[in-house]
């Protein structure tokens, strides 16, 4: 029985977040009343003349640059001919022989291993409309709001060797396109969709096995689960002496299986030809240079910088770069508190801030607590105005109200007591009230230190400076 190697290549469709569609001025807004964002052009009426949306070209080229591709200064739109009820033109406008971007790569990490996945091409194309089926009324309706919304398709080389690698690639790709600001990346609304091509072959073979293409993978988790299922299905076939058939299969996330949808068309069935209504897409080298110069710092570079400059452990760097807004929040908070170790600021983010965002379902942009406030909170803990415990306790309030922490704790009388005479008095009272524990402590049961600290804190309503409490205890117990 041979041992098999898994081979995966992904095709990812990304909605570009331009205001208008690819060839007309209809808005791309998601969730409008059906057929309110439609005109003659995107409805495919005969005789109309499409005009290319330049912002879509810019966004697509930015994706190409971020993915280390060669950008073709002249690329060509082609018609991909097939019939689909929700596609009024009877062809999709896409790119075939000369796509906008080619020959790129993306680095992924699974565990400590790093690996480059090749990007074959990125081309621009139009999305289709949507069929809405209503079995109860025995009819199907058509919504063309999404018709001709600009997409890019990012095609990888068959370089991934496990479902985990596929998931890592997809996550990294998602982070990059969202960082670039060219898409909202919303998987549930279909702004970021993935088809997975999967085959297996005996280990050591350099010939690719027959692939199936999996569709309907609408979350990172489903991509991984669908591939896992499919690999086992193909292995079972080969071991039973049967062949894998090249076909498109739909993933059913409820039953966690893939099912044959249709046998796969070959490219020539689409009769691709250059679109006679569209001139080649020309990109001015000066524009290209400008886009390159204004690319944001990408997730991988930012992760490295957070580890190098801020001294963050890798896990925290990964977490805090998982969203551009989160990473920028950290940068701003660190800049606002030059005397604080950035790791302390990062800890306030990975701990109480993310916890609070999870609890309230808010995103970091929505929280009322701005980076300056978080920086100030770290400062007043460091300078002893409040304890770390109080900082945790007041965090939800600060997030909701947006008040500055120093003003807040002063107004609420929560400022930590560093007045040694008050602490001395509280320590003396605790020792007087607990003679048995004092005797035990003096007899060697030093673990009771924590008990005494706790009692003093309780007496002082949690506001005593813990370092000073420990010091006073040591003094008085050694008498
Ligand atoms: P199509 O549109 O017919 O699916 P594409 O060339 O657009 O063809 O996409 C093919 C995708 O399938 C690419 O991501 C490629 O890496 C991947 N692929 C091709 N052959 C195999 C194979 N034998 N096993 C796994 N993936 C494959
Ligand atoms: Mg395909
Ligand atoms: Zn339109």
């Amino acid at each position: 029985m041979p041992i098999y190697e898994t081979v995966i290549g992904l095709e990812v469709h990304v909605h570009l977040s331009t205001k208008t569609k690819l060839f007309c001025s209809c808005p791309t807004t998601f969730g409008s009343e059906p057929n309110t964002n439609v005109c003659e052009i995107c409805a495919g009426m005969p005789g109309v003349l499409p005009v290319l949306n330049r912002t879509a070209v810019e966004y697509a080229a930015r994706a190409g640059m971020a993915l280390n591709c060669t950008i073709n200064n002249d690329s060509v739109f082609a018609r991909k001919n097939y019939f689909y009820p929700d596609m009024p033109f009877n062809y999709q406008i896409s790119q075939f022989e000369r796509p906008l971007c080619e020959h790129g790569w993306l680095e992924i990490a699974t565990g400590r291993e790093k690996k480059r996945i090749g990007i074959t091409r990125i081309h621009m194309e139009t999305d289709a409309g949507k069929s809405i089926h209503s079995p109860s009324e025995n009819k199907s309706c058509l919504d063309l709001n999404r018709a001709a919304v600009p997409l890019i398709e990012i095609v990888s080389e068959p370089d991934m060797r496990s479902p985990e690698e596929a998931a890592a690639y997809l996550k990294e790709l998602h982070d990059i396109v969202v960082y670039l600001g060219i898409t909202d990346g919303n998987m549930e609304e279909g702004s970021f969709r993935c088809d997975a091509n999967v085959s297996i072959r005996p280990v050591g073979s350099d010939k690719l096995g027959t692939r199936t293409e999996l569709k309907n993978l609408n979350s990172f988790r489903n991509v991984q689960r669908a591939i896992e299922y499919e690999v086992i299905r193909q292995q079972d076939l080969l071991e039973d002496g049967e062949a894998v058939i090249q076909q498109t299969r739909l993933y059913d996330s409820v039953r966690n299986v893939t099912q044959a949808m249709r046998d796969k068309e070959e490219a020539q069935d689409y009769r691709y030809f250059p679109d006679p209504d569209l001139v080649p897409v020309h990109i001015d080298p000066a524009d290209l240079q400008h886009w390159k110069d204004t690319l944001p710092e990408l997730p991988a570079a930012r992760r490295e910088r957070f580890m190098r400059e801020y001294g963050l452990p890798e896990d925290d760097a990964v977490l805090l770069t998982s969203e551009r807004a989160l990473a920028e929040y950290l940068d701003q908070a660190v800049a606002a508190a030059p005397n604080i170790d950035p790791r302390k600021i990062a800890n306030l983010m990975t701990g109480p801030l993310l916890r609070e965002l999870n609890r309230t379902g808010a995103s970091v942009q929505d929280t009322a607590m701005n980076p300056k406030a978080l920086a100030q909170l770290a400062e007043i803990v460091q300078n002893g105005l409040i304890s770390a415990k109080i900082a945790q306790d007041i965090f939800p309030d600060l997030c909701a109200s947006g008040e500055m922490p120093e003003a807040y704790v002063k107004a609420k009388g929560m400022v930590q007591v560093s007045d040694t005479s008050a602490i001395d008095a509280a320590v003396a009272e605790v020792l007087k009230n607990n003679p048995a524990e004092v005797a035990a402590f003096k007899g060697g049961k030093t673990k009771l230190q924590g008990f005494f600290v706790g009692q003093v804190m309780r007496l002082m309503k949690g506001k005593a400076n813990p370092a000073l409490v420990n010091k006073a205890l040591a003094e008085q117990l050694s008498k």
Side-chain angles (χ1 to χ4, degrees), residues 225-291:
R225 293 208 310 162
I227 298 172
E228 281 163 2
Y229 172 87
E230 182 62 14
V231 167
I232 291 173
R233 190 190 71 86
Q234 293 187 11
Q235 282 177 2
D236 288 348
L237 279 175
L238 297 191
E239 267 156 32
D240 292 345
E242 290 176 48
V244 174
I245 304 169
Q246 178 160 335
Q247 61 188 180
T248 301
R249 300 179 67 85
L250 269 192
Y251 178 63
D252 175 343
S253 61
V254 177
R255 293 168 52 220
N256 189 31
V257 296
T258 66
Q259 285 169 305
M261 181 170 100
R262 58 164 185 256
D263 288 354
K264 180 97 188 100
E265 304 87 352
E266 295 296 332
Q268 59 266 30
D269 293 346
Y270 291 124
R271 286 198 305 111
Y272 279 100
F273 63 86
D275 192 309
D277 286 346
L278 290 163
V279 292
V281 186
H282 177 74
I283 299 181
D284 196 326
D287 283 341
L288 200 60
Q289 189 58 46
H290 173 66
W291 300 338

Side-chain angles (χ1 to χ4, degrees), residues 10-11 13 80 153 155 195-197 211 213 215 248 262 264 270:
L10 299 183
E11 294 164 84
H13 285 93
K80 179 179 183 181
E153 178 174 349
V155 182
D195 300 338
N197 295 271
R211 68 172 151 136
E213 181 175 4
K215 288 194 180 284
T248 301
R262 58 164 185 256
K264 180 97 188 100
Y270 291 124

